[in-house]
């Protein structure tokens, strides 16, 4: 699979409108975007362009996310990066405005790429009738340190290791199994809550940290008896779907 660069222009905020800011990014159609500001005048090309009026659903349906979920189910490693300066709408696009409590859930229309992908994954998994084991890990990289956003208790840095068989990996990283939408959304909320807590303690923390949520998809396919003899040469399929909310590009 090849990269699929997609751009989303967010609407001006109330503050921006009030102080008279002008929108300088305009879609020209066919994936072309024009930027015209004081000393900049340029056109850029993308696989897909979403204007300020685009809904969360339109972004999900038009960004190739469904195909990515299917590729991950087929054993590929797929990653979605949200890139842009602080305030450009990365977290909004990935998660929507997160509900603060279970009692006050986010409006379904505003759910982001992540929740929509989870729904798609669980639906696909059921309709394929395949026996998939799903688990999630959620990490944050801040100040050159890796922290587990799913582990309870005070945050502690985890070591990054490399091995011939596994490549780069984070030692002692939690991977939590889930089977329902409620369970994975609750993991997402817990982890994001932890990230926000640090944001409060340390000013502008989230603009300087990367957050990575990875869904591990392992097929528990039952091999026919003839293949059991060579299981080491025929590992079960394992795909991943990773969402990266990058630190502010500034
Ligand atoms: P980032 O994560 O890139 O720093 P945020 O996702 O926090 O930026 O977005 C900054 C602000 O703009 C937030 O208040 C968010 O609710 C709002 N926002 C971002 N994108 C949109 C959008 N497409 N529609 C409406 N509000 C948006
Ligand atoms: Mg953010």
């Amino acid at each position: 699979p090849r990269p699929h660069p997609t751009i989303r222009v967010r609407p001006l905020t109330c503050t921006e409108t009030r102080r008279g800011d002008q929108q300088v990014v305009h879609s020209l159609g066919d994936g072309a975007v024009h930027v015209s500001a004081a000393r900049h005048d340029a056109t850029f090309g993308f696989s897909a362009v979403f204007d300020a009026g685009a809904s969360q659903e339109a972004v999900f349906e038009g960004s190739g996310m469904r195909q990515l979920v299917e590729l991950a189910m087929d054993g590929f490693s797929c990653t979605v990066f949200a890139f842009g300066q602080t305030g450009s709408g990365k977290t909004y696009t990935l998660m929507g405005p997160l509900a603060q409590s279970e009692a006050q859930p986010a409006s379904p229309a505003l759910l982001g790429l992540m929740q929509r992908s989870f729904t798609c994954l669980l639906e696909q998994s059921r309709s394929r009738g395949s026996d998939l084991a799903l688990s999630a890990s959620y990490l944050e990289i801040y100040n050159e340190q890796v922290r587990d956003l799913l582990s309870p208790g005070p945050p502690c840095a985890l070591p990054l290791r490399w091995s011939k068989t596994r490549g780069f990996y984070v030692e002692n990283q939690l991977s939590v199994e889930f089977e329902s939408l409620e369970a994975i959304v609750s993991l997402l909320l817990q982890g994001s809550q932890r990230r926000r807590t640090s944001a409060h303690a340390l000013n502008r923390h989230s603009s300087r940290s990367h957050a990575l949520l990875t869904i591990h998809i392992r097929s528990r396919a039952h091999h026919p008896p003839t293949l059991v003899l060579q299981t080491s040469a025929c590992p079960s399929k394992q795909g991943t779907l990773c969402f990266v909310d990058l630190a502010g590009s500034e």
Side-chain angles (χ1 to χ4, degrees):
R2 288 185 299 145
H4 189 77
T6 298
I7 188 169
R8 182 185 203 180
V9 181
R10 73 150 166 76
L12 294 178
T13 62
C14 297
T15 320
E16 289 163 345
T17 310
R18 221 178 299 125
R19 68 176 181 225
D21 286 2
Q22 301 289 314
Q23 189 172 315
V24 296
V25 185
H26 295 279
S27 164
L28 303 177
D30 274 340
V33 160
H34 188 246
V35 180
S36 56
R39 277 176 292 118
H40 300 277
D41 192 57
T43 303
F44 300 91
F46 292 89
S47 296
V49 177
F50 299 98
D51 269 325
S55 64
Q56 295 282 71
E57 187 189 6
V59 174
F60 177 76
E61 296 297 343
S63 59
M65 231 9 269
R66 277 188 195 278
Q67 291 91 306
L68 218 53
V69 169
E70 283 173 15
L71 284 166
M73 292 180 73
D74 287 338
F76 286 93
S77 295
C78 303
T79 304
V80 179
F81 291 100
F83 175 86
Q85 74 180 76
T86 303
S88 59
K90 299 181 294 294
T91 304
Y92 183 95
T93 297
L94 287 176
M95 310 187 200
L98 280 185
Q100 303 296 314
S101 69
E102 309 259 320
Q104 191 199 16
S107 155
L110 298 182
L111 292 175
L113 281 182
M114 292 167 91
Q115 296 96 327
R116 288 168 200 270
S117 301
F118 302 157
T119 305
C120 177
L121 172 66
L122 289 160
E123 276 171 11
Q124 284 284 329
S125 150
R126 267 174 220 128
S127 76
R128 284 194 192 188
S130 52
D131 205 358
L132 294 181
L134 304 174
S135 63
S137 56
Y138 200 3
L139 298 172
E140 173 178 64
I141 304 174
Y142 176 73
N143 215 3
E144 317 254 319
Q145 291 190 333
V146 182
R147 280 176 53 193
D148 199 322
L149 291 171
L150 294 183
S151 85
C156 64
L158 298 179
L160 190 63
R161 306 255 187 250
W162 184 86
S163 82
K164 258 187 193 159
T165 47
R166 295 180 64 182
F168 285 103
Y169 66 97
V170 176
E171 198 170 71
N172 298 327
Q173 153 189 323
L174 274 188
S175 188
V176 181
E177 296 223 354
F178 66 90
E179 287 180 347
S180 70
L181 184 63
E182 292 70 33
I184 178 63
V185 166
S186 149
L187 290 174
L188 175 66
L189 283 175
Q190 279 172 39
S192 311
Q193 184 65 51
R194 247 181 222 117
R195 195 177 180 214
R196 272 203 301 275
T197 309
S198 346
H200 187 72
L202 201 76
N203 200 26
R204 297 175 73 73
H205 175 105
S206 82
S207 69
R208 292 177 197 167
S209 83
H210 307 293
L212 298 83
L213 181 127
T214 309
I215 305 288
H216 308 270
I217 306 164
R218 212 174 60 246
S219 73
R220 290 183 279 217
H222 308 293
H223 299 292
T226 48
L227 289 178
V228 169
L229 298 170
Q230 37 166 308
T231 40
S232 62
C234 172
S236 65
K237 262 193 317 197
Q238 175 151 359
T240 56
L241 183 58
C242 183
F243 296 87
V244 186
D245 194 353
L246 286 169
S249 58
E250 67 274 19

